[in-house]
């Protein structure tokens, strides 16, 4: 059986270092259960990965994108802007038709805050 060499793959991936990164990433994907695109022929995963790259059954650009994605720890997600939500409190009108809002004094606010229970300390907070 012919061995896959770097020369078989170098025309698909120009940089040898990139080739090693992509082939090792593909070998890890195969180890974790990804389907292979060629016959195994009793080869180990790194050789199968190199043969896939040499036979162009997997695109190096797709491997590169997947490799980059696997290394990212924080992926930004574009979320839609939050819509302005109208207030649910309806103002109270007095007899003259003037609108009055409920007012809270500073003392009432402090009394309410004093009644709150602080959150329980977890193991992460004690470190």
């Amino acid at each position: 059986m012919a061995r896959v060499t770097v020369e078989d793959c170098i025309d698909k991936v120009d940089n040898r270092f990139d080739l090693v990164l992509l082939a090792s990433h593909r070998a890890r994907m195969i180890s974790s259960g990804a389907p292979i695109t060629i016959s195994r022929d009793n080869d180990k995963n790194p050789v199968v990965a190199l043969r896939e790259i040499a036979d162009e059954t997997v695109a190096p650009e797709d491997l590169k994108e997947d490799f980059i994605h696997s290394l990212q720890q924080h992926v930004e997600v574009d979320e839609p802007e939050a819509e302005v939500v109208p207030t649910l409190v309806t103002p109270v009108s007095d007899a003259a038709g003037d609108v009055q809002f409920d007012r809270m004094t500073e003392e009432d606010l402090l009394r309410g805050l004093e009644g709150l229970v602080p959150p329980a300390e977890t193991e992460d907070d004690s470190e």
Side-chain angles (χ1 to χ4, degrees), residues 34-75:
I36 58 175
T37 58
I38 59 171
S39 62
R40 182 173 283 276
D41 291 337
N42 205 20
D43 289 330
K44 295 184 179 177
N45 292 340
V47 175
V48 171
L50 285 171
R51 286 181 49 217
E52 286 179 336
I53 293 171
D55 292 346
E56 295 180 341
T57 59
V58 287
E61 289 302 316
D62 293 342
L63 280 177
K64 186 175 183 180
E65 288 297 319
D66 190 49
F67 180 60
I68 291 170
H69 182 70
S70 71
L71 293 176
Q72 289 179 338
Q73 294 184 8
H74 176 72
V75 179

Side-chain angles (χ1 to χ4, degrees), residues 59-105:
E61 289 302 316
D62 293 342
L63 280 177
K64 186 175 183 180
E65 288 297 319
D66 190 49
F67 180 60
I68 291 170
H69 182 70
S70 71
L71 293 176
Q72 289 179 338
Q73 294 184 8
H74 176 72
V75 179
E76 289 187 25
V77 177
D78 292 334
E79 295 182 9
E81 294 289 326
E83 296 180 17
V84 178
V85 179
T87 57
L88 298 176
V89 179
T90 56
V92 179
S93 300
D94 62 0
D98 294 333
V99 176
Q100 296 178 350
F101 293 95
D102 289 334
R103 301 269 177 188
M104 180 183 282
T105 64

